[in-house]
Amino acid sequence: THTHTATHPHTARPHTVTMGKARKTRKFAAVKRVIASSDPRLQANQKKAEEAAKGKKKKTTEGEDVRHVQSASSALYFKYNTQLGPPYHILLDTNFINFAIQNKLEIMQAMMDCLYAKCIPCMTDCVMGELEKLGRKYRVALRIAKDPRFKRLKCLHKGTYADDCLVERVAQHKCYIVATCDRDLKRRIRKIPGVPIMYITQRRFSVERMPDAFGAPRN
């Protein structure tokens, strides 16, 4: 049997109010998270990954490991760089211009006195950017770098870290001499075969790893 309760049209229906759940904000660093056993940061998993990489090494038909040897540049005849020749294109580092000013050397003249040939100093965008960032102390170096006789080279990479830019440039194009007094940069360029390094010694420019036929002074 159905019971029907009659409601008067003028009497208001009772409203049911539902309260929303109050959101609890977690305190910072209150919950300790456990690193999963499969996390790549764990040393055990790193060792497993290394072993798996070793197992995936390519092997020849005789079972020997395939080695990837970097191909020699076509510009080199043994250690002799055939792309080097007058007029010489010389990549200038940031500190080289400053050291030339300290030693009272005029860059264009000192280069020609060193190599006995026409020289074209080259400035990359990142070297110019570094000089501009260094401020008033290097304003004379910046004025010299803006010499119209200096060739400007455009950089396509991001940032203004000149060392990486110079190393990549001479690794790809072996037609440059790198002028720098920076020890770290010299060490990096020495690993690239066939790229001479110009530096300052005894108030004159000298060239390292340059064939004697080109007239570079011996040290």
Side-chain angles (χ1 to χ4, degrees), residues 21-27:
K21 285 185 180 179
R23 289 186 181 179
K24 289 182 181 179
T25 54
R26 285 185 177 180
K27 289 181 181 178

Side-chain angles (χ1 to χ4, degrees), residues 23-192:
R23 289 186 181 179
K24 289 182 181 179
T25 54
R26 285 185 177 180
K27 289 181 181 178
F28 179 72
V31 180
K32 290 183 180 178
R33 293 188 180 179
V34 180
I35 295 174
S37 59
S38 60
D39 198 288
R41 291 172 291 179
L42 291 173
Q43 285 186 347
N45 293 333
Q46 285 176 2
K47 285 178 183 177
K48 282 180 186 176
E50 285 172 12
E51 285 170 9
K54 283 178 184 176
K56 285 180 183 177
K57 277 188 178 178
K58 289 183 180 178
K59 301 216 177 234
T60 58
T61 51
E62 295 168 3
E64 294 177 357
D65 291 341
V66 175
R67 290 188 303 160
H68 295 280
V69 181
Q70 192 176 359
S71 58
S73 173
S74 59
L76 296 176
Y77 178 74
F78 294 99
K79 287 185 179 179
Y80 182 86
N81 191 349
T82 55
Q83 283 190 359
L84 281 174
Y88 295 105
H89 289 77
I90 301 164
L91 282 172
L92 299 176
D93 187 26
T94 314
N95 61 8
F96 188 83
I97 302 168
N98 200 45
F99 276 107
I101 295 162
Q102 287 176 14
N103 286 281
K104 297 178 181 177
L105 292 166
E106 203 278 310
I107 290 174
M108 289 290 289
Q109 188 60 46
M111 281 178 177
M112 286 192 279
D113 290 345
C114 174
L115 294 166
Y116 306 115
K118 186 183 176 182
C119 299
I120 302 168
C122 301
M123 297 289 297
T124 60
D125 286 343
C126 48
V127 171
M128 289 293 287
E130 277 191 1
L131 284 170
E132 285 167 4
K133 280 182 181 178
L134 289 167
R136 286 182 59 80
K137 192 180 176 183
Y138 289 80
R139 65 184 184 277
V140 180
L142 186 62
R143 198 186 308 145
I144 290 167
K146 287 179 179 176
D147 191 317
R149 295 175 296 175
F150 287 21
K151 188 178 179 182
R152 280 293 294 271
L153 301 173
K154 288 196 174 183
C155 296
L156 300 172
H157 60 85
K158 291 180 181 178
T160 57
Y161 186 57
D163 289 11
D164 287 347
C165 173
L166 296 175
V167 169
E168 283 174 23
R169 201 176 283 269
V170 295
Q172 290 173 3
H173 313 287
K174 296 191 186 294
C175 57
Y176 296 110
I177 298 168
V178 179
T180 183
C181 297
D182 188 359
R183 285 182 183 179
D184 292 332
L185 184 57
K186 278 184 185 177
R187 200 178 295 118
R188 288 175 71 181
I189 290 167
R190 284 188 191 115
K191 292 175 184 176
I192 305 166

